[in-house]
């Protein structure tokens, strides 16, 4: 546990919005989820495949499309998919996390009905139960802009998805048993890019052309740094928001986050390393893929370029540099900056502090001292059918307690159409990623030390980024 006097915090404001139904285009997908042998780190493992693929098949769609995804569970245990970053406007029945959806029983099927209403951008899906994500079952999601909606950069010559993340040689059942037994998750055995280890994947480009790379961290435990040898990256989109187009030599991508960058093949015609390495770990793991020029005169050689390792201030400053492009159109033909979030009167302030208490001799993880335990009945069903005794509103406090951890099916109350100010506080010595499923939020503040009401004076109320997943660094003091 870290020193509670050196707490990092991230503040965000989010809004619940409604959607208007419409007969927009439909896209149909039929997926069969099975076990299969995979060898991502050279060791035979039991992976989770979708239609025989690892990673799973991509979803390609356009703003406002209706997605009809029929999932057949051929595993021997319940299964559930979540759609990381897809906004669930008044539709959390399809969210795919325990508490809103019933798991798909073995041998049964469920059809997800999603509408990517007023959305663009780069996302991914993943299994949300039983540590299945450590066995695969994830894939990329692209939501393109509708025709005639201005996009703030020329059409790229190609569009590539990169799903990067840490990986374990142990099967997901063994990892789950470690956690269920109250143990700590072991250090990962390696990193993957699109399901393959080092030099296992090649992206081909033509010299002089510009390409879009959609990069997501689909791992379990580790922040990553992404870079391409000899090339700069122009950031253009962050989880559905067109970003201020800053240029980066490398980019930190924390668990659950997604970015889109433009890369121009403007170097001599040869092959170059695409590198992913771990951040904030005592042992640095690295994996590579290849950026292959179609007229390449030589293969990659020598060591891949190094990147940042434990530089927390560097990472924090980069995060602050990621801003909203105020003049770009979003899913609609009006500038993203036309929504003045800084004028919102918040109705509720929530402070959430993570901790890692030992409860009844087992390592647990908690928020405001509460370690969540699932109810037998999904919470959304209990709420809809007014089933008593499943949960109690207010069973998790709005502020850190400073007390010991305890077990509870925790549910926080909120007001319909309310605007919440949420402060994430991290007193531990590990970085935390926070995700609000089915919604986007505005990251208006990020700093070290203890959050206080006076911290509001430093909020960015003009051009902060809007996204669904944010990191809270450890022991940042600025």
């Amino acid at each position: 546990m870290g020193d509670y006097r050196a707490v990092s915090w991230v503040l965000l404001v989010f809004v619940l919005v409604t959607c208007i139904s419409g007969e927009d285009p439909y896209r149909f997908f039929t997926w069969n989820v099975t076990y299969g042998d995979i060898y991502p780190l050279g060791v035979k493992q039991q992976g989770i495949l979708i239609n025989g693929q690892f990673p799973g098949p991509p979803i390609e769609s356009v703003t406002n499309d209706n997605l009809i995804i029929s999932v057949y569970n051929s595993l021997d245990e319940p299964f559930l998919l979540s759609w990381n970053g897809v906004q669930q406007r008044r539709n959390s029945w399809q969210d795919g996390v325990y508490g809103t959806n019933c798991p798909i029983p073995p041998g049964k099927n469920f059809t997800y009905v999603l509408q990517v209403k007023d959305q663009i951008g780069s996302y991914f899906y993943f299994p949300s139960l039983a540590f299945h994500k450590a066995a695969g079952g994830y894939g990329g999601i692209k939501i393109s802009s509708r025709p005639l909606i201005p996009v703030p950069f020329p059409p790229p010559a190609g569009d590539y998805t990169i799903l990067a993340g840490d990986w374990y040689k142990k099967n997901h059942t063994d990892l789950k048993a470690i956690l269920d037994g109250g143990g700590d998750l072991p250090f990962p055995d390696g990193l993957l890019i699109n399901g393959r280890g080092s030099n296992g994947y090649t992206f081909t480009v033509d010299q002089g052309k510009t390409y879009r790379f959609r990069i997501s961290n689909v791992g379990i435990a580790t922040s990553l740094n992404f870079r391409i040898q000899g090339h700069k990256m122009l950031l253009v989109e962050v989880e559905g928001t067109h970003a201020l187009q800053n240029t980066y030599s490398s980019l930190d991508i924390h668990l659950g986050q997604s970015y889109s960058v433009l890369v121009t093949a403007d170097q001599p015609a040869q092959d170059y390393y695409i590198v992913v390495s771990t951040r904030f770990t005592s042992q640095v793991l690295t994996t590579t893929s290849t950026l292959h020029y179609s007229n390449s005169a030589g293969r990659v050689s020598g060591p891949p370029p190094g990147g940042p390792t434990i530089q927390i201030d560097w990472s924090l400053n980069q995060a602050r540099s990621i801003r909203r492009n105020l003049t770009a159109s979003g899913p609609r033909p009006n500038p993203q900056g036309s929504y003045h979030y800084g004028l919102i009167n918040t109705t509720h302030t929530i402070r959430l502090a993570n901790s890692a208490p030992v409860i009844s001799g087992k390592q647990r993880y908690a928020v405001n001292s509460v370690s969540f335990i699932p109810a037998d009945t999904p919470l959304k069903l209990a709420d809809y059918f007014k089933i008593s005794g499943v949960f109690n509103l207010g069973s998790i406090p709005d502020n850190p307690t400073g007390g010991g951890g305890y077990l509870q099916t925790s549910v926080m109350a909120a007001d319909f159409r309310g605007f919440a100010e949420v402060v994430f506080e991290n007193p531990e010595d590990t970085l935390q990623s926070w995700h609000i499923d089915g919604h986007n939020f505005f990251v208006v503040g990020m700093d070290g030390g203890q959050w206080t009401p006076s911290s509001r004076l430093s909020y960015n109320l003009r051009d902060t980024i809007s996204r669904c997943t944010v990191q809270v660094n450890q022991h940042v003091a600025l």
Side-chain angles (χ1 to χ4, degrees):
M1 293 296 294
D3 182 354
Y4 273 79
R5 294 169 297 178
V7 178
S8 297
W9 58 271
V10 169
L11 185 282
L12 35 109
V13 175
F14 69 90
V15 55
L16 302 179
V17 294
T18 60
C19 72
I20 300 173
S21 298
E23 278 300 307
D24 291 293
Y26 282 75
R27 294 177 188 261
F28 295 88
F29 305 83
T30 301
W31 290 353
N32 185 28
V33 181
T34 62
Y35 290 123
D37 292 340
I38 57 175
Y39 302 80
L41 293 178
V43 176
K44 180 180 176 180
Q45 295 178 256
Q46 184 187 70
I48 292 179
L49 314 180
I50 299 179
N51 291 354
Q53 301 177 46
F54 168 64
I59 292 176
E60 299 196 9
S61 60
V62 177
T63 301
N64 293 348
D65 280 356
N66 295 284
L67 308 181
I68 313 299
I69 308 169
S70 297
V71 179
Y72 291 80
N73 179 16
S74 298
L75 306 182
D76 57 2
E77 56 184 328
F79 185 78
L80 196 58
L81 281 172
S82 185
W83 319 96
N84 197 72
V86 175
Q87 295 180 32
Q88 304 290 340
R89 296 185 171 104
R90 301 182 67 181
N91 191 36
S92 61
W93 295 102
Q94 309 294 310
D95 213 6
V97 293
Y98 191 86
T100 58
N101 284 94
C102 289
I104 307 172
K108 302 296 183 180
N109 70 290
F110 179 80
T111 299
Y112 293 91
V113 180
L114 311 170
Q115 186 181 25
V116 290
K117 183 70 176 176
D118 288 336
Q119 275 197 272
I120 58 170
S122 312
Y123 312 95
F124 64 95
Y125 61 86
F126 68 95
S128 60
L129 289 181
F131 231 61
H132 288 153
K133 189 181 180 185
Y138 55 75
I141 302 174
K142 300 178 187 177
I143 308 175
S144 301
S145 295
R146 290 175 292 169
L148 305 181
I149 302 297
V151 175
F153 50 87
D159 193 320
Y160 289 119
T161 292
I162 293 182
L163 304 174
D166 50 28
W167 193 258
Y168 297 84
K169 293 180 180 179
K170 289 182 179 294
N171 285 340
H172 75 281
T173 51
D174 297 328
L175 294 171
K176 181 177 180 295
I178 292 172
L179 292 175
D180 288 344
D184 288 328
L185 196 65
F187 190 73
D189 294 300
L191 303 177
L192 303 183
I193 295 176
N194 289 358
R196 302 180 186 179
S198 284
N199 300 318
Y201 210 93
T202 297
F203 301 88
T204 300
V205 297
D206 292 333
Q207 192 171 29
K209 295 182 178 180
T210 298
Y211 295 80
R212 181 172 183 170
F213 287 83
R214 303 171 186 260
I215 315 154
S216 296
N217 184 340
V218 297
I220 297 295
T222 314
S223 294
L224 302 176
N225 182 265
F226 179 89
R227 52 201 181 272
I228 301 178
Q229 183 182 24
H231 294 73
K232 299 293 185 182
M233 298 180 290
L234 186 70
L235 182 66
V236 294
E237 178 249 329
V238 178
E239 294 161 20
T241 301
H242 287 306
L244 191 66
Q245 294 185 7
N246 294 328
T247 299
Y248 299 93
S249 297
S250 69
L251 195 60
D252 275 359
I253 305 176
H254 304 281
L255 287 168
Q257 293 185 337
S258 298
Y259 292 91
S260 276
V261 298
L262 297 181
V263 178
T264 300
D266 55 4
Q267 298 301 302
Q270 63 181 58
D271 291 355
Y272 296 88
Y273 284 112
I274 296 175
V275 187
V276 174
S277 58
T278 57
R279 291 284 266 127
F280 318 121
T281 56
S282 55
Q283 175 189 351
V284 177
L285 298 176
T286 299
T287 197
T288 59
S289 286
T290 301
L291 185 73
H292 170 68
Y293 279 51
S294 59
N295 59 339
S296 174
R299 303 180 66 179
V300 291
S301 61
T309 54
I310 60 172
Q311 300 90 331
I312 298 171
D313 288 354
W314 184 97
S315 186
L316 187 62
N317 288 333
Q318 184 180 85
R320 288 174 173 150
S321 73
I322 298 172
R323 303 293 184 91
R324 171 185 295 261
N325 187 335
L326 296 179
T327 61
S329 294
R332 293 174 177 267
N334 56 286
Q336 295 181 134
S338 63
Y339 183 73
H340 300 292
Y341 67 91
L343 301 179
I344 293 172
N345 291 320
T346 57
T347 57
H348 191 188
T349 296
I350 302 167
R351 291 171 53 210
L352 301 176
N354 51 270
S355 59
V358 174
I359 302 175
S360 300
K362 292 185 178 182
Q363 176 69 71
R364 301 281 301 194
Y365 298 92
V367 177
N368 288 0
S369 300
V370 182
S371 186
F372 182 82
I373 51 174
D376 291 335
T377 303
L379 306 183
K380 184 76 175 177
L381 288 176
D383 178 57
Y384 184 81
F385 291 106
K386 296 181 172 53
I387 303 172
S388 62
V390 177
F391 68 88
N392 294 310
L393 287 178
S395 49
I396 179 173
D398 286 356
N399 295 282
T401 66
Y406 59 95
L407 304 177
Q408 178 72 48
T409 303
S410 50
V411 177
M412 185 173 286
D415 296 323
F416 181 60
R417 297 187 184 276
F419 292 87
E421 175 188 51
V422 182
V423 183
F424 292 138
E425 299 179 2
N426 179 16
E428 298 184 75
D429 57 2
T430 56
L431 183 141
Q432 303 292 326
S433 280
W434 289 83
H435 173 71
I436 296 183
D437 218 41
H439 297 281
N440 268 21
F441 45 73
F442 300 97
V443 186
V444 298
M446 184 178 294
D447 210 341
Q450 180 70 51
W451 182 89
T452 67
S454 63
S455 300
R456 296 187 178 109
L457 298 175
S458 65
Y459 287 174
N460 175 5
L461 299 179
R462 181 177 181 271
D463 65 347
T464 193
I465 201 70
S466 173
R467 64 187 315 169
C468 65
T469 306
V470 70
Q471 77 278 12
V472 188
N473 291 71
Q474 71 267 28
H475 288 195
V476 179
L478 300 176

